[in-house]
Each structure stands twice: as structure tokens, then as C-alpha cells.
Amino acid sequence: GGLRSYIHGSALFDGNRLAGLLDDEDTEILLLAMGQFQNGYLSVSDEKGTVTFLIKETVIPHVQMSLGEAPHAVVTLALFAEIELDTSGNAEERCELKGQLENYIVMELNRVFEQCKLLNSDAMRFGRYACMQFSSVEAWRDYAWKEKYKNMTAEFGVTVKLNDRIISSHIE
């Protein structure tokens, strides 16, 4: 569940065919999107240094799905983060880190989604949200999810609650 020491990557499937592989970091991003992430580390680097965060998922992601020729998902994630390592050593200027971390995670979620879509692998399991909108198996089959998935778009939103006494006194 999300600890890099226990994850060596994951296999992506297109039906029963192995379509590709994700490394351990991309697997963590995939787990975030699926609501199966427990905790792990992410680092953000800029000109001031590198900050490593312990990330924990606080609630299951909220997914809104609209169907059509090009399905669209809006995924909202709420995460909890603690600063584990800060090479900049400048707490007064770190209030922008929360936004940087949120933007970094959104960028990574988009990248992994596009990688999965390119391999025709619904590894983020959007199909389960799509199928809930059908009242019969026949209607679901007629929709042809695997073909529609190729045109799917996704929008990710991430909110991080940053727990650090030094930072929290400067954020507000």
C-alpha cells in the first residue's frame, strides 16, 4: 500500500494482454488516483533546495464521470503531508511549498493517466465509475467502454493539508 520499499512497480493490462509497466514512483501515483495509497514520500525541488514530504491519503478520491463519445472524469484528492527533510533551511519562504506540492501531484497524476491511456489500460479504474451510470449490462456493452476510453480526458485536483508547525504559522 504505497511504501516504496514494498513496491517494485506494477503491470498495466489491456484486457488480458500485458501492455506495459509502471515503476515504483508511478505506481504510487496510480494508487493515489485509485484511493489505495496509504503513505509514501514525494520530493519537490526548486532553486532553494529539496523538500521531502511524507504523504498520506486522508479520504477516498471523489470522482465525477460524464459520458459521451469522449468520457471525462473530474478527480479530487485530499492528502495529508508532513515535511520530513528540508535542504533549504528557510522556513519563512516555504509557504509556497503547499501549492508546489499540489501542482506536482496534479502533473504526475495527468502524466500517469496519459501513460495508461496510451497503453489502453484503464488502470485508474474509471470504467467502474462509468458502468455505474448504466441500468443494464446490455446498455453498458452497447456503450463500448474500451473504445470510448481511448478518447477519455481526466481533470485532477489535489488539496494538501500540510502539517508543520513552522510552516502553518506562516501560511495563514
Side-chain angles (χ1 to χ4, degrees):
L3 293 174
R4 196 170 270 128
S5 61
Y6 293 105
I7 295 179
H8 299 289
S10 55
L12 296 179
F13 287 87
D14 177 4
N16 292 328
R17 183 183 68 79
L18 177 64
L21 301 171
L22 294 179
D23 65 17
D24 56 344
E25 292 178 15
D26 288 352
T27 298
E28 287 182 342
I29 298 299
L30 178 65
L31 290 170
L32 276 172
M34 294 170 35
Q36 295 181 358
F37 184 81
Q38 290 178 359
N39 62 59
Y41 294 92
L42 286 177
S43 295
V44 175
S45 297
D46 61 17
E47 64 280 353
K48 296 173 188 163
T50 300
V51 179
T52 301
F53 298 91
L54 171 64
I55 306 290
K56 297 178 183 180
E57 196 164 37
T58 57
V59 295
I60 294 175
H62 180 262
V63 179
Q64 290 178 269
M65 182 72 122
S66 59
L67 301 179
E69 287 304 310
H72 181 72
V74 177
V75 182
T76 308
L77 290 97
L79 305 173
F80 175 80
E82 294 177 352
I83 293 176
E84 291 288 310
L85 174 67
D86 174 19
T87 63
S88 72
N90 193 347
E92 294 82 39
E93 295 183 20
R94 286 190 282 166
C95 56
E96 76 275 2
L97 284 178
K98 179 180 175 299
Q100 287 177 336
L101 179 61
E102 290 169 345
N103 291 337
Y104 175 76
I105 295 170
V106 166
M107 184 180 67
E108 289 298 289
L109 285 162
N110 280 312
R111 185 183 58 75
V112 171
F113 168 70
E114 290 299 327
Q115 186 176 353
C116 292
K117 193 170 80 164
L118 184 65
L119 295 169
N120 203 32
S121 176
D122 185 14
M124 290 188 177
R125 299 182 184 167
F126 288 117
R128 68 180 168 176
Y129 297 101
C131 76
M132 288 186 224
Q133 298 185 32
F134 293 88
S135 58
S136 70
V137 173
E138 294 78 25
W140 170 245
R141 284 188 188 137
D142 290 343
Y143 181 68
W145 167 250
K146 286 296 279 185
E147 286 304 311
K148 301 286 192 290
Y149 176 72
K150 294 175 184 177
N151 298 319
M152 185 179 161
T153 57
E155 182 180 334
F156 297 95
V158 174
T159 303
V160 172
K161 180 178 180 342
L162 190 57
N163 184 29
D164 184 294
R165 291 186 192 133
I166 298 169
I167 291 177
S168 63
S169 66
H170 296 282
I171 288 178
E172 300 173 317

